Amino acid sequence: MTFTAEAQAVWDKVPEATRAKLLDSGFCAHCLAKKHFDLVEAEIRDRSLALIGKCGSCGHRVVRLIELD
Ligand SMILES: [Zn+2]
């Protein structure tokens, strides 16, 4: 996995149960559905944590944005 230091710091504070939910709700533009995805990268974009990974069904790139307070 490739995380920026900032993204790692945010991700480290996310509880395990919440992480699992986030990783089960990535929208795959290929499957056109919410899918579990394998986390590959994370970075901070504006005020969001961007989780980037691969769809567990088809392998298409999935990006899940989480707004930060
Ligand atoms: Zn997919």
Side-chain angles (χ1 to χ4, degrees), residues 11-26:
W11 189 240
D12 282 348
K13 288 177 190 164
V14 177
E16 201 69 40
T18 306
R19 290 184 186 191
K21 279 185 192 169
L22 291 171
L23 295 178
D24 273 341
S25 60

Side-chain angles (χ1 to χ4, degrees), residues 30-50:
H30 188 259
C31 297
L32 294 178
K34 281 189 177 178
K35 295 286 184 179
H36 173 79
F37 65 101
D38 298 319
L39 190 55
V40 179
E41 296 169 44
E43 62 190 29
I44 303 296
R45 293 183 187 171
D46 297 321
R47 289 191 178 177
S48 296
L49 172 65

Side-chain angles (χ1 to χ4, degrees), residues 28 30-31 35 55 57-60:
C28 175
H30 188 259
C31 297
K35 295 286 184 179
C55 172
S57 297
C58 73
H60 194 275

